[in-house]
Amino acid sequence: MTQSLADMRRDYTRDGLTEADAPAEPWTLFRQWFAEAVQTEQASVEANAMSLATVDVEGRPHCRVLLLKALDDVGFTFFTNYESAKGQQLAACPFAAMTFFWPTLERQVRIEGRVEKVSPEESDAYFQVRPLGSRLGAWASPQSRVIADRGELEELLAVTQKRFTDIQPDCPDHWGGYRLVPDRIEFWQGRSSRLHDRLNYRLQADQWLRERLAP
Ligand SMILES: Cc1cc2nc3c(=O)[nH]c(=O)nc-3n(C[C@H](O)[C@H](O)[C@H](O)COP(=O)(O)O)c2cc1C
C-alpha cells in the first residue's frame, strides 16, 4: 500500500549547528559543509546540484535544478544558455536564490544575492574542459525554446556535428557562466521534533552579520 503523504515524515537527529561551530563569515562553513556533502552523500546524489530561483518581468518566480561549477571568494558560478528562460529572467532582474539540499547530512543551505555574468574568458575556460558531446549540445540546443519533437533536436545536433567536423567547437556567445554574489547565506541543520538549527549570515556595509532564525 502506498504510504499517505500525511504520514511521510522523518525525524532529523544526525547533528546540530551551534554558534560555536560557526565562523564569523559564511564562506568557510559553506566550504566545510560542501566537502562533507561530497564525502558523505551517496554517489547517486550530486552534491553540487542546487535549485536556482529567478523571477521574470511580471514578478513570477521560476525554479530549476542546476550544477554549481565554481566557487571563489566572490561567489557561486553555474553555466547555462544566456538566451534560455533563466537567461532572459536574469537580464530583466539580476537577483537569484540558490538552495542546496544534502539529505544524508540533513542539511540545507540557502544563498541569495545579485547575479552577474562571468567574463568570456572564464566561460571559455570551462567550456573547453567539457566533454565534446556537451560542447556540441551547447551549440545545438536552443534551450527553453519550443521544438517540434525529439527529431528536431537530433537534426540540430547533426547539423552542429557537421559544422564542427574538422574544428573544435569554441564557446558560443549565447552560452556561459553566471556568478551569484551572495548577500545572504543561511545554514540549516535538521534537528529532532522540527526544532532545527538555522544560522543566517547577512551582509551589511561589507560586514557579515550572523543571526539565529527560528525554525
Ligand atoms: C541534476 C541536474 C543538473 C542540471 N544542470 C544544469 C546546468 O548546469 N545548466 C543548465 O543550463 N541546465 C541544467 N539542468 C537543466 C535545468 O534544470 C533546466 O531544465 C534548464 O537549464 C532550462 O531552464 P530554464 O528554461 O528555466 O532556463 C540540470 C538539470 C538537472 C536535473
Side-chain angles (χ1 to χ4, degrees), residues 50-167:
M50 44 79 181
S51 298
L52 182 89
T54 50
V55 288
D56 65 22
V57 278
E58 287 162 359
R60 209 181 141 117
H62 302 264
C63 190
R64 78 291 283 160
V65 174
L66 299 177
L67 296 178
L68 182 75
K69 281 289 162 181
L71 172 62
D72 56 24
D73 294 342
V74 181
F76 298 78
T77 298
F78 55 90
F79 290 87
T80 193
N81 186 313
Y82 286 144
E83 294 170 2
S84 64
K86 78 183 84 51
Q88 291 175 35
Q89 288 146 19
L90 288 169
C93 175
F95 292 93
M98 202 178 254
T99 302
F100 291 85
F101 174 44
W102 296 309
T104 308
L105 292 168
E106 302 172 347
R107 286 174 176 171
Q108 167 183 248
V109 180
R110 294 170 56 179
I111 301 164
E112 295 170 11
R114 178 175 275 278
V115 176
E116 58 188 28
K117 280 185 180 173
V118 307
S119 69
E121 292 73 26
E122 274 178 89
S123 292
D124 194 51
Y126 173 64
F127 189 81
Q128 295 307 336
V129 301
R130 301 180 86 211
L132 179 62
S134 306
R135 282 181 282 150
L136 292 172
W139 276 100
S141 169
Q143 193 177 55
S144 313
R145 293 234 296 269
V146 175
I147 51 174
D149 49 25
R150 181 83 202 175
E152 182 177 341
L153 187 61
E154 282 161 12
E155 181 58 30
L156 287 165
L157 180 63
V159 171
T160 306
Q161 280 167 333
K162 216 166 174 187
R163 176 174 169 186
F164 293 108
T165 309
D166 300 320
I167 48 167

